[in-house]
Structures are given as C-alpha cells and as structure tokens.
Amino acid sequence: MTAMSNSRSLVFIALPGLVTCLFWSSAAFAYPQFQEFVEKRSHQPVNCAMCHANGNGPDGHQAGQIGSLSAEELKRLEEARAALEKGNDIKSPVLNEFGNEIVRSLGRKKVISLIKEPEKLYDELPADSDLDEDGVPDREEFLDGTDPTNKYHAAPIKLFLINLNRNKMHVILAAVAIFSINFGLVHMIRGISLLAEKKN
C-alpha cells in the first residue's frame, strides 16, 4: 500500500514536468527558412530577433524564450499557436511586435504554407504596415534584413530619401537662408572693398 501511494505521489510530481516538457517541445515554432532567405537576399547577418523576442529563437530558458515563460505567458503562447486564420489579436510572448503582426495579418496556417517559398511573404504582408513609423514599410524591411521595430534601423539610402522628403520644406528654407547669407556676405565684402578703394 505504501509502495503504491509512493508511486502515485511520484507520478503526480513528475506529471506536471512531463506535460511542461511536451508543451514546450510542441509550442516551439521557429521557421529558419525566412531568416535564411533574408540573409541570402540582403547579404547581411540576420538573427531570430527579426521576428522573435529573443535573438536566439524561442527555444531556451532566457528572457523571451519558452523555458522562461510564466503560466500566463504560456497561455498566451498557446493562443498564438491556435491562431491559424488571420485577424486574431494575438500577443505571443516569444515573438516581437513584427512577429506578432505577421501572425495577426496572415494567420499561422498561411505562414506555414510560405515556408517553402519565403520570398512570397513580402507579397502577403500589408503594404501600409510600418510598425516603427520610419517611412519604410515592414515588408521592405523584411527584404532588406533590417529591424521593422526600430525606426533608426533601415536601409540608409531609403531613410535618407524618406527623411529628405519629409523635411523638404526645412531643407528648402535652410538652402534659401544659406544662399541669402552667402549673397549678403559677398556683397558686404565687395562694399567694404569699394570703400577701401575710395579712401585710397
């Protein structure tokens, strides 16, 4: 009787750990095909932080990885995994804002269907989505291998042209001011020269 109750106690102690391990292994979903595609296209290193909360991906015990999640965060993770169709307001704790936006916009079923053709993710993402409001659409940042959640991280030429366009009035006014100052200085120097010549 004692041996049986001890074995039952052991099962009850071990069961939650076993369930948790199974949950973690089934809950971990990372799709390196997208990362590999972006690295090849952009010719720069891209880590999991493009879509995940942790740069090393969802597996592990660090912040933003499955092993560090609380019970509430595990519940949110399961809800995100169940979001097969688009339009669900999910907030997966192992995804960053861009990763969650992808699942919200497309649904996990569509994302999984694009694994073999990761280049098509560009066409599927909303053209007007710009999470960091830097002027470069998220889907372009995906192709460029830049961070769609950081307004200071985008292709330099694109950022320059966007900021030039946004601030064109300031640029024009600054150019007019510089021209006016230079024009005034040139004429002032000429005037001083003429006065000096007259005195001589």
Side-chain angles (χ1 to χ4, degrees):
M1 185 76 175
T2 310
M4 187 177 281
S5 70
N6 283 343
S7 64
R8 282 183 185 167
S9 298
L10 191 59
V11 168
F12 283 117
I13 290 169
L15 190 60
L18 181 62
V19 169
T20 304
C21 287
L22 289 172
F23 180 80
W24 282 350
S25 62
S26 67
F29 55 94
Y31 308 124
Q33 295 86 345
F34 295 104
Q35 178 187 349
E36 289 162 10
F37 162 72
V38 171
E39 283 188 332
K40 279 183 186 175
R41 190 189 182 282
S42 65
H43 305 292
Q44 64 178 348
V46 176
N47 69 15
C48 298
M50 173 172 264
C51 299
H52 288 278
N54 189 292
N56 294 318
D59 291 317
H61 297 274
Q62 298 174 357
Q65 293 183 321
I66 293 168
S68 71
L69 302 182
S70 66
E72 176 59 32
E73 287 171 326
L74 285 170
K75 183 182 174 186
R76 280 169 38 211
L77 177 62
E78 188 59 23
E79 287 170 357
R81 291 193 76 243
L84 296 177
E85 302 299 333
K86 64 181 180 180
N88 291 289
D89 185 23
I90 58 102
K91 291 179 183 175
S92 170
V94 299
L95 294 176
N96 65 14
E97 193 179 0
F98 180 54
N100 278 309
E101 182 60 27
I102 291 172
V103 178
R104 271 194 294 270
S105 301
L106 308 182
R108 279 196 65 226
K109 188 163 67 175
K110 184 65 177 178
V111 174
I112 293 167
S113 75
L114 294 172
I115 288 174
K116 292 182 180 178
E117 300 174 295
E119 69 282 359
K120 291 189 175 178
L121 181 62
Y122 172 86
D123 297 318
E124 297 293 337
L125 290 173
D128 59 348
S129 179
D130 181 15
L131 293 170
D132 55 12
E133 299 181 344
D134 61 358
V136 182
D138 298 332
R139 65 184 197 166
E140 283 189 33
E141 296 215 42
F142 165 71
L143 289 184
D144 296 338
T146 56
D147 186 351
T149 65
N150 182 348
K151 67 179 179 180
Y152 301 109
H153 192 251
I157 293 173
K158 288 182 181 178
L159 273 183
F160 172 76
L161 292 174
I162 286 164
N163 285 311
L164 184 65
N165 187 52
R166 282 179 173 174
N167 300 295
K168 60 187 171 190
M169 188 52 68
H170 293 92
V171 171
I172 291 167
L173 290 173
V176 169
I178 291 167
F179 175 78
S180 300
I181 290 167
N182 286 335
F183 184 80
L185 283 172
V186 167
H187 281 78
M188 185 177 76
I189 292 166
R190 281 184 185 167
I192 291 169
S193 297
L194 287 172
L195 284 173
E197 283 175 13
K198 282 183 181 179
K199 283 182 181 178
N200 292 332

